[in-house]
Amino acid sequence: MPHPDTQALQTILADSPVGLVLPAIASLKLPNWWLAGGAVRNTVWRSLFGDSCQLVIKDFDIAFFDAQGDREQELTAKDALTQQFPTYQFDVKNQASFARWRNGRRPYDSTEDGIADWLHTATAVGVRVDLQDHWQFFMPYGLDDLFQGVIRPTPAHYQDSAAEQKAATFLQQCPNLQLA
């Protein structure tokens, strides 16, 4: 039996651009991929808070993990998605190589490890569909913050100025949100 919050999340996302792009991402067969970040978070917050929340989908953050992969894999996936959805932006990142090009970041040992290290709990929510359109969810911090409009840094980002700056931007664009 699916968790009630994941049912609500699926209902919100299925009827949005997220629901449109998920099958296309699945068809790329990237290893252990998740769509996470602002596309998920902002879609939920707009659904909850309406037009007073000006946060929109800026891009689709797709994380995957391939220890043998290279940047070419990311670019090929991004190009394929951009051809299919020319009005959308895609950010495709192999979490296996993230630390090599992002100074100061520790290496990740899985896609989930990378997503759990994102700035805020409401941003560290992953969704994907398989080729049979079955939805799956990754939510290391649960869904309470997402559904309650709470901006809380993940444990790795307490006292992080980048997390604080991003939180201030969220509050400017969506006044219904609250800081943890």
Side-chain angles (χ1 to χ4, degrees), residues 19-91:
L20 195 62
V21 302
L22 282 176
I25 301 167
S27 72
L28 298 175
K29 298 182 177 143
L30 292 167
N32 195 32
W33 70 273
W34 291 99
L35 172 69
V40 173
R41 179 198 62 229
N42 294 352
T43 299
V44 171
W45 286 350
R46 289 261 323 190
S47 172
L48 295 174
F49 303 119
D51 291 340
S52 68
C53 186
Q54 296 299 306
L55 292 167
V56 296
I57 297 174
K58 188 181 80 189
D59 63 8
F60 292 86
D61 294 303
I62 302 154
F64 70 98
F65 193 89
D66 185 351
Q68 310 311 308
D70 57 26
R71 293 304 296 271
E72 192 59 39
Q73 202 176 11
E74 297 171 349
L75 298 173
T76 300
K78 180 179 177 173
D79 288 346
L81 291 167
T82 301
Q83 282 182 14
Q84 202 168 347
F85 303 100
T87 60
Y88 295 154
Q89 299 291 314
F90 296 93
D91 190 12

